[in-house]
Amino acid sequence: MSFLKKLLEIVLKRKILFFTLVFISITVFFLLIFFQKEGSLKIGKEGAESGFINLRVEIPPGAFGKQKVLKITRLSDEERKLYPDVFVGDLYRVEFADGVDEFALKPIRLKYYFDAKYLRGENYNNLTFAYATEDGGYRIIPGSMIGKDERGYYVEAFTYHLSVFGVVLRSAGFQKHGIRLLREAVNSSGPAVLLVPGEDPTFEGVVKDNNIWETIFPDRTIMTYEYALYEPRSLAYSEMYRSFIEKEGRRSFIDFESDFLSQEILKYSQYEFDILAHGTGGLIVLRMLQRHPEVNNVRKVVLLSTPVQGTNVVNPLYFSSIFYGKDPEVLEDIFGIEWTKLKMLTLHIRNLIDTLGEVVQEILPDSQLVKELGGFSRNDVEIVSICGDTPPYGVDVSGTELERFYPEFVKGRGDGFVSIQSCRVGKVEQLSGNFYDLYSREENVAYIRELLKYEVQVFSGFRSDDYEEYLPSKNPELSEESAQKVVEVKETEGTEFPVLPVNILFENFLERIRSLELSSYLSGALVGKEVYIATESGVFAWDKKVLDKKIEFFKKIEDYASFVGEGDIFIIDNIGIKKYAPFPLVGDISDALITRNAIIYARVVPGGVRYYLFRNGAEKLIATSPGTTVRMKSENGNYLLITDGEVVAIGSDFKEKGRVLSSLFGEKVKIVDASFKDDAFYILLNDGSIAFVSSSRSETKNYGLAVPKKVLNFQGRILVVYDGVILDLSAGKAQRFDRGIIDVFPGNESLFIVFDEKVRVSVEEWWLSKD
């Protein structure tokens, strides 16, 4: 009997266990349904993605001292009314399930999928993450990035704290990225002043329609480097950064921008630069000089409040432990600092961390980037690093426990972002001021102006007296004013009449016919009677989109055009556009010229550029050139392979017809573009000069035109394109335009000129007179 009793007890226990498990399963099932209905979700594993519908949140390992569980709730329509109406789509409250709010030690990744109808275009940064503030407002999360994956378009951002999050639709803005000319001082012989801002947007010096730096340097060309440190980032910009991350195997926004800045400076190789950089912008400049020794047209660099050895101000660990969630009035008793100043200190630090986002990790004193900068060395560039001596808002932590954590807030040692120790590189100076006003104080401006002064080169005369001024007798209508610009020609027996005109006259020889506005532009060509334009989003037949693909290597070849669209070769001829064949090449190709039966392509390698011919399934090295930039084009049956160090002409049989090195024209001279006519080269140089080189002679002329762009062999004429000027060498005349020129490509009896319209581009057809 006792045996049966025990057996019955075991059966009953197992039934209880079974029913208990069933009950738990059913309860969990209904709880999940309930939570989905309410829009909530809990995730119990740190580092895993969490999300509901449109929002995903990813906590990196080590972001918190212990495992944290997230709860994400979609706000109801009623709750939504409590928040600003600037948000589009759903709003989500993200909080910790344990109710304990903490500041992350590493950035939390937010990813929000939005309706594609809100995307203005690949180059527009009109969408950004934002979070709701306690006062009923909202704050943009700096550095938001737009992306696209198999699920759709999304906005991505990084934050260190939780809140109510959503996406804000801004007015459509075209992404600014690169060097922008603010003021061209045509008659100045001094280096151009390039501004590279950091966390403080006022450093750019914009006051209404003026710029204070133009007043400080009235005789200098002024440029600024525009990039999205705190601005939202467009899809195209973000994808470029993601490609950098994939290539480098690490996240470094500073190095990404340093690489891009180097390309921009090389584009403006006709200029010598003095660089004035602030905050993190200075790190971009230093890394550019460290990673790119080929950049050799920088004379001086002045750094203001640049954390070369890192800064403690943005350390999330310090902020989380000392300030986050703490009452400033309580902290006043602990640290002996007035609570109002502590509150300003807290706001200052949090604002910097919010502004920098993931970049915070790069400027901490023990970061990999800071360690690598420890080996910085560029003896060819003079560098002066300036630090302020006064923390902002009257805060001074001297003599308190905070002095150990934040030397940047010790009066006499720091300026609220860097200390005199952390800004050390090159020659170090400490001036009066804080992080926000260091660059604008009158006495400091005078010092910076003195640092960047230059001596005007005085003409010392010819070395011999066998030169005479020469003016063509065919121009009796030349005024005395226009005759001031003369060319010195050595008068010897048998001297030929110069090929390049001695002087140019400005007159209007082009007349506009029609115009088209587009959001972007890559290249253009007239094929038959149809104008085809390649943009970042596809190909247009004038104003009608005919192909929706990412375009590469778009070029006019004889009577057709060719390009690559997402892995396939396309040909455009008189019939129209058609897929021709798969693109057979892989790897990092800088440029390619695709004919119907062969491909010439270029790879940039250490020490120069290699050109290959791919034909019949095999590749062959056909030429090598010095240089770092590549431009290839087809022109009147020849192929021109152009780097900044050399131009090579290849015939239709892919055999070399001639080449010219840039060193022929001087040590620092670079080639911008070239044309090949009657076995002679017309070469455009980075200082604006034009060179004619044949087997028997060479000439070089400079007509004082800046920012050279392109050379065209059009109907037997040689046309030279500058930023706002088109020069007809054959006729010795030039026409000015009131807008910057991006590109020019030939039609039949007309030219198609692409103008920069700031947020868009215009493609305009201009009739060319035959006079």
Side-chain angles (χ1 to χ4, degrees):
M1 290 294 293
S2 60
F3 171 78
L4 292 175
K5 185 178 179 181
K6 288 182 179 180
L7 181 62
L8 181 60
E9 288 175 356
I10 291 171
V11 171
L12 288 173
K13 286 181 180 179
R14 288 185 176 178
K15 282 186 177 180
I16 292 171
L17 178 61
F18 171 78
F19 284 115
T20 301
L21 291 174
V22 171
F23 175 78
I24 292 173
S25 299
I26 293 173
T27 302
V28 169
F29 174 77
F30 280 107
L31 283 173
L32 287 174
I33 293 176
F34 173 78
F35 280 133
Q36 287 187 11
K37 182 178 180 181
E38 292 300 313
S40 303
L41 180 63
K42 295 182 179 181
I43 301 296
K45 185 178 179 182
E46 185 177 344
E49 287 189 350
S50 63
F52 176 80
I53 305 179
N54 294 328
L55 180 66
R56 291 178 178 272
V57 183
E58 181 181 332
I59 302 176
F64 299 99
K66 62 180 180 179
Q67 179 176 302
K68 298 291 285 185
V69 179
L70 292 180
K71 178 183 178 183
I72 303 175
T73 307
R74 183 178 58 184
L75 269 58
S76 67
D77 292 342
E78 284 301 313
E79 291 177 299
R80 179 71 185 269
K81 294 177 182 178
L82 301 175
Y83 296 93
D85 58 4
V86 296
F87 292 96
V88 295
D90 294 327
L91 287 180
Y92 297 92
R93 178 180 293 107
V94 184
E95 54 194 336
F96 295 114
D98 61 6
V100 179
D101 188 18
E102 294 186 52
F103 198 80
L105 307 183
K106 293 182 180 180
I108 301 168
R109 186 196 301 260
L110 305 172
K111 194 173 182 180
Y112 187 108
Y113 289 90
F114 63 86
D115 193 322
K117 69 182 180 181
Y118 296 121
L119 185 68
R120 180 68 175 81
E122 290 186 358
N123 277 304
Y124 286 87
N125 59 352
N126 60 312
L127 285 158
T128 179
F129 246 116
Y131 65 87
T133 56
E134 295 177 358
D135 59 2
Y138 71 98
R139 179 184 170 108
I140 297 293
I141 299 180
S144 295
M145 297 188 291
I146 299 176
K148 185 181 181 183
D149 59 19
E150 65 280 354
R151 182 173 174 180
Y153 290 103
Y154 61 85
V155 178
E156 181 182 30
F158 292 89
T159 185
Y160 290 83
H161 56 89
L162 303 183
S163 182
V164 171
F165 296 103
V167 170
V168 170
L169 182 65
R170 311 187 326 154
S171 58
F174 197 79
Q175 186 77 68
K176 298 176 180 178
H177 196 195
I179 290 178
R180 180 166 66 92
L181 181 67
L182 297 179
R183 197 260 317 277
E184 175 87 48
V186 178
N187 297 321
S188 173
S189 59
V193 177
L194 175 63
L195 308 171
V196 182
E199 298 76 5
D200 182 5
T202 61
F203 177 76
E204 292 186 69
V206 178
V207 180
K208 294 184 179 180
D209 295 329
N210 300 313
N211 190 288
I212 62 171
W213 297 108
E214 296 180 21
T215 305
I216 295 170
F217 298 102
D219 61 337
R220 305 280 284 273
T221 293
I222 309 293
M223 301 182 185
T224 184
Y225 181 62
E226 298 180 314
Y227 66 105
L229 176 64
Y230 42 80
E231 282 289 313
R233 301 163 190 169
S234 68
L235 176 61
Y237 187 107
S238 302
E239 289 304 310
M240 197 188 318
Y241 178 39
R242 293 186 182 102
S243 296
F244 170 86
I245 294 170
E246 184 177 353
K247 179 182 176 182
E248 295 281 319
R250 62 193 177 91
R251 299 187 74 92
S252 175
F253 183 78
I254 291 174
D255 279 353
F256 163 69
E257 283 300 338
S258 74
D259 288 358
F260 197 90
L261 176 59
S262 73
Q263 297 173 27
E264 287 291 290
I265 288 183
L266 288 172
K267 285 181 186 178
Y268 286 84
S269 55
Q270 72 270 28
Y271 291 91
E272 186 177 34
F273 284 100
D274 285 343
I275 300 179
L276 195 55
H278 187 236
T280 300
L283 295 180
I284 292 172
V285 172
L286 289 177
R287 288 295 279 173
M288 182 268 295
L289 292 172
Q290 187 177 41
R291 288 166 62 89
H292 297 279
E294 71 274 12
V295 175
N296 57 11
N297 56 329
V298 176
R299 185 185 72 131
K300 292 184 178 181
V301 172
V302 176
L303 304 173
L304 295 154
S305 301
T306 293
V308 184
Q309 298 184 32
T311 175
N312 297 289
V313 174
V314 295
N315 192 324
L317 176 61
Y318 293 171
F319 182 73
S320 175
S321 304
I322 300 172
F323 296 114
Y324 188 68
K326 311 295 194 305
D327 186 341
E329 294 189 37
V330 175
L331 294 178
E332 179 181 29
D333 296 333
I334 297 174
F335 296 117
I337 300 173
E338 186 182 339
W339 74 270
T340 56
K341 292 182 179 180
L342 281 173
K343 185 172 183 179
M344 293 305 297
L345 175 62
T346 303
L347 292 173
H348 170 69
I349 294 174
R350 179 162 178 172
N351 178 67
L352 285 172
I353 294 175
D354 277 352
T355 297
L356 289 168
E358 64 169 333
V359 179
V360 160
Q361 306 297 313
E362 297 188 67
I363 64 174
L364 296 176
D366 60 348
S367 73
Q368 184 62 36
L369 184 140
V370 168
K371 290 176 182 177
E372 290 180 9
L373 273 176
F376 177 84
S377 177
R378 279 293 293 263
N379 297 326
D380 59 323
V381 180
E382 182 181 343
I383 297 176
V384 180
S385 182
I386 300 174
C387 166
D389 67 352
T390 307
Y393 313 116
V395 177
D396 181 10
V397 301
S398 301
T400 74
E401 285 295 313
L402 290 177
E403 184 174 358
R404 292 188 303 157
F405 299 100
Y406 295 112
E408 299 87 354
F409 284 95
V410 176
K411 188 172 178 58
R413 289 175 59 188
D415 60 18
F417 191 61
V418 297
S419 66
I420 186 64
Q421 183 62 39
S422 66
C423 71
R424 291 191 177 278
V425 67
K427 178 184 177 182
V428 181
E429 296 284 352
Q430 189 169 34
L431 302 181
S432 177
N434 62 59
F435 175 68
Y436 297 108
D437 69 5
L438 183 64
Y439 56 84
S440 59
R441 291 196 173 200
E442 187 175 345
E443 64 273 22
N444 296 348
V445 167
Y447 180 71
I448 293 169
R449 189 188 295 115
E450 180 68 17
L451 284 176
L452 299 186
K453 72 178 181 179
Y454 66 97
E455 293 183 2
V456 178
Q457 297 296 317
V458 180
F459 178 62
S460 58
F462 293 111
R463 293 184 180 180
S464 61
D465 59 359
D466 58 352
Y467 286 84
E468 292 184 4
E469 294 183 349
Y470 173 84
L471 286 175
S473 59
K474 290 185 177 181
N475 268 327
E477 67 275 11
L478 276 176
S479 65
E480 289 185 5
E481 181 180 352
S482 62
Q484 294 301 313
K485 193 175 290 182
V486 296
V487 176
E488 291 73 32
V489 179
K490 186 174 181 179
E491 186 175 353
T492 58
E493 187 175 353
T495 297
E496 299 178 78
F497 192 82
V499 175
L500 302 176
V502 174
N503 250 302
I504 57 171
L505 298 176
F506 282 94
E507 63 178 60
N508 294 337
F509 59 92
L510 291 160
E511 181 181 349
R512 182 163 53 190
I513 300 173
R514 56 174 172 163
S515 178
L516 167 70
E517 281 204 355
L518 294 170
S519 60
S520 64
Y521 172 84
L522 296 177
S523 187
L526 179 71
V527 180
K529 297 182 179 180
E530 190 69 69
V531 180
Y532 290 92
I533 303 166
T535 72
E536 293 172 350
S537 63
V539 177
F540 287 78
W542 192 241
D543 58 352
K544 180 182 179 182
K545 196 169 191 180
V546 292
L547 187 69
D548 188 9
K549 289 182 180 293
K550 183 179 179 181
I551 307 301
E552 295 180 284
F553 315 134
F554 186 102
K555 290 181 174 61
K556 177 75 178 291
I557 314 289
E558 298 174 354
D559 60 348
Y560 62 93
S562 63
F563 63 92
V564 174
E566 297 179 4
D568 292 310
I569 296 173
F570 288 81
I571 297 290
I572 302 176
D573 54 23
N574 290 330
I575 299 175
I577 184 170
K578 60 183 176 182
K579 188 185 294 185
Y580 189 68
F583 188 60
L585 306 176
V586 295
D588 191 9
I589 298 173
S590 297
D591 200 3
L593 193 153
I594 305 165
T595 73
R596 292 185 186 274
N597 56 14
I599 302 172
I600 304 175
Y601 66 96
R603 295 188 192 276
V604 177
V605 297
V609 178
R610 293 180 180 176
Y611 298 101
Y612 296 88
L613 173 65
F614 183 88
R615 185 168 52 173
N616 299 325
E619 66 178 8
K620 174 185 177 183
L621 181 66
I622 59 172
T624 59
S625 288
T628 58
T629 62
V630 183
R631 172 181 285 189
M632 302 169 63
K633 64 182 183 181
S634 172
E635 193 178 68
N636 296 330
N638 297 307
Y639 306 123
L640 291 179
L641 317 178
I642 305 163
T643 71
D644 51 356
E646 186 177 42
V647 54
V648 181
I650 302 290
S652 57
D653 57 358
F654 305 112
K655 293 182 179 179
E656 186 176 316
K657 300 181 71 173
R659 63 170 63 202
V660 177
L661 285 164
S662 63
S663 57
L664 176 67
F665 313 107
E667 183 181 350
K668 290 190 176 182
V669 176
K670 302 295 183 182
I671 294 173
V672 175
D673 195 20
S675 184
F676 194 63
K677 176 187 176 187
D678 300 330
D679 292 330
F681 290 95
Y682 291 83
I683 302 173
L684 181 59
L685 304 174
N686 61 347
D687 63 356
S689 300
I690 304 161
F692 170 82
V693 181
S694 69
S695 58
S696 60
R697 64 186 297 188
S698 67
E699 299 176 27
T700 304
K701 301 286 189 297
N702 192 318
Y703 301 103
L705 301 173
V707 193
K709 297 277 189 175
K710 191 173 187 177
V711 183
L712 293 174
N713 184 347
F714 175 58
Q715 296 184 346
R717 300 183 181 198
I718 297 296
L719 304 179
V720 186
V721 182
Y722 294 85
D723 186 44
V725 175
I726 295 180
L727 167 61
D728 184 346
L729 273 184
S730 306
K733 57 188 178 182
Q735 180 167 336
R736 294 189 187 276
F737 298 87
D738 58 0
R739 292 160 292 166
I741 298 175
I742 297 173
D743 190 22
V744 176
F745 61 92
N748 289 327
E749 300 292 333
S750 60
L751 292 176
F752 292 91
I753 308 175
V754 185
F755 292 102
D756 183 0
E757 305 290 357
K758 303 303 182 186
V759 297
R760 297 177 68 81
V761 299
S762 61
V763 183
E764 299 182 358
E765 184 176 10
W766 290 67
W767 179 76
L768 178 67
S769 68
K770 294 185 177 182
D771 297 337

